[in-house]
């Protein structure tokens, strides 16, 4: 259990919402944070950070300025690099405040569909900076709506049920202690891709 997340997480999530709202930037709760908000009505006890999503067409310099104004520090960036015939591109950002980490997953729209995709990496290397297993996650997305989560306002996907079912399966409301991302039907391993971790400070 991440005690700092459990103690400070909701407050920090509220500040993140205020920062994004100050620049009219659409975001939404993603992955385990969305699952906890909908299924458990709280942050999941074994989570280690807060997960949010944004679309790739945002101004990330503007996002960085807004988050810093609200007391956040950028601590790392994971960039996806490829070789051979692979053309995958993407990145993930992490900010922190009061010991709470917020992972920002950057999603791209799949043209002509209501689906978006992002990348994440498995932390399975002895050389910590190079993350050799890159996963592509594809989920349905129909915009966002406001949601009250433990007395704060946050944004979640309008189609959150379909979104969660796509990633966690139709039984997402039943906790599964053995669930892993690679078990998801919405996840594919990206061949010939590697994640490169750049840290901005020790965390």
């Amino acid at each position: 259990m991440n005690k700092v997340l459990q103690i400070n997480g909701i407050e920090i999530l509220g500040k993140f919402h205020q920062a994004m709202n100050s620049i009219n930037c659409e975001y939404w709760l993603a992955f385990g944070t969305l699952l906890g908000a909908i299924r458990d009505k709280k942050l999941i006890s074994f989570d280690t950070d807060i997960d949010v999503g944004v679309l790739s067409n945002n101004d990330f310099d503007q996002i960085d300025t807004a988050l810093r104004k609200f007391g956040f520090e950028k601590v790392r960036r994971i960039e996806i690099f490829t070789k051979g015939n692979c053309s995958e591109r993407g990145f993930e950002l992490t900010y922190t405040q009061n010991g709470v980490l917020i992972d920002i997953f950057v999603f791209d729209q799949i043209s002509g569909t209501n689906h978006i995709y992002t990348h994440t990496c498995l932390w399975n290397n002895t050389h910590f900076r190079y993350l050799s297993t890159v996963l592509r996650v594809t989920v349905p997305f129909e915009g966002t709506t406001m949601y009250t989560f433990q007395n704060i306002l946050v944004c979640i996907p309008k189609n959150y049920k379909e979104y969660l079912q796509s990633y966690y399966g139709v039984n997402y409301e039943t906790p599964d202690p053995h669930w892993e991302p690679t078990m998801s039907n919405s996840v594919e391993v990206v061949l010939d891709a590697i994640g490169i971790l750049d840290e901005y400070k020790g965390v």
Side-chain angles (χ1 to χ4, degrees):
M1 177 186 294
N2 186 328
K3 292 183 179 180
V4 174
L5 179 64
Q6 296 301 315
I7 294 170
N8 298 330
I10 294 299
E11 177 188 358
I12 299 306
L13 181 55
K15 288 184 178 181
F16 180 85
H17 175 82
Q18 293 173 22
M20 300 297 272
N21 192 55
S22 73
I23 55 173
N24 296 314
C25 180
E26 183 180 54
Y27 82 94
W28 60 93
L29 302 189
F31 302 122
T33 306
L34 177 63
L35 180 65
I38 298 300
R39 186 189 69 191
D40 304 332
K41 310 302 180 187
K42 62 181 181 180
L43 296 172
I44 295 175
S45 62
F46 53 82
D47 256 356
T48 58
D49 51 32
I50 290 171
D51 298 327
V52 301
V54 299
L55 292 175
S56 62
N57 59 1
N58 281 289
D59 182 336
F60 287 92
D61 288 335
Q62 185 184 44
I63 290 174
D64 184 71
T65 298
L67 290 174
R68 291 181 186 278
K69 180 179 178 182
F70 280 80
F72 290 90
E73 290 183 86
K74 183 162 62 174
V75 294
R76 65 181 178 233
R77 174 188 176 105
I78 298 175
E79 189 93 25
I80 306 301
F81 289 89
T82 60
K83 60 182 180 180
N85 294 323
C86 184
S87 60
E88 296 285 326
R89 294 291 185 272
F91 63 95
E92 171 191 333
L93 301 170
T94 301
Y95 286 79
T96 189
Q97 185 175 159
N98 290 345
V100 175
L101 296 174
I102 297 186
D103 288 339
I104 302 176
F105 292 89
V106 180
F107 285 79
D108 284 288
Q109 186 80 42
I110 299 176
S111 180
T113 77
N114 70 334
H115 283 69
I116 55 176
Y117 71 94
T118 189
H119 298 89
T120 188
C121 298
L122 298 183
W123 301 75
N124 57 359
N125 281 49
T126 54
H127 194 314
F128 188 65
R129 186 168 183 248
Y130 301 97
L131 311 172
S132 61
T133 303
V134 176
L135 305 179
R136 183 196 308 113
V137 184
T138 304
V139 290
F141 182 69
E142 297 177 1
T144 62
T145 189
M146 300 293 287
Y147 181 76
T148 301
F149 179 34
Q150 292 202 352
N151 298 317
I152 66 167
L153 286 175
V154 295
C155 297
I156 64 171
K158 287 181 181 178
N159 60 321
Y160 66 86
K161 290 182 180 179
E162 186 183 9
Y163 189 106
L164 287 169
Q165 286 177 350
S166 174
Y167 187 63
Y168 290 104
V170 295
N171 296 319
Y172 74 88
E173 293 181 294
T174 302
D176 179 359
H178 304 295
W179 189 89
E180 296 287 345
T182 52
M183 298 167 59
S184 172
N185 290 331
S186 69
V187 171
E188 297 177 78
V189 176
V190 182
L191 301 178
D192 291 330
I194 189 171
I196 306 295
L197 172 68
D198 284 319
E199 291 192 281
Y200 295 92
K201 59 169 284 186
V203 293

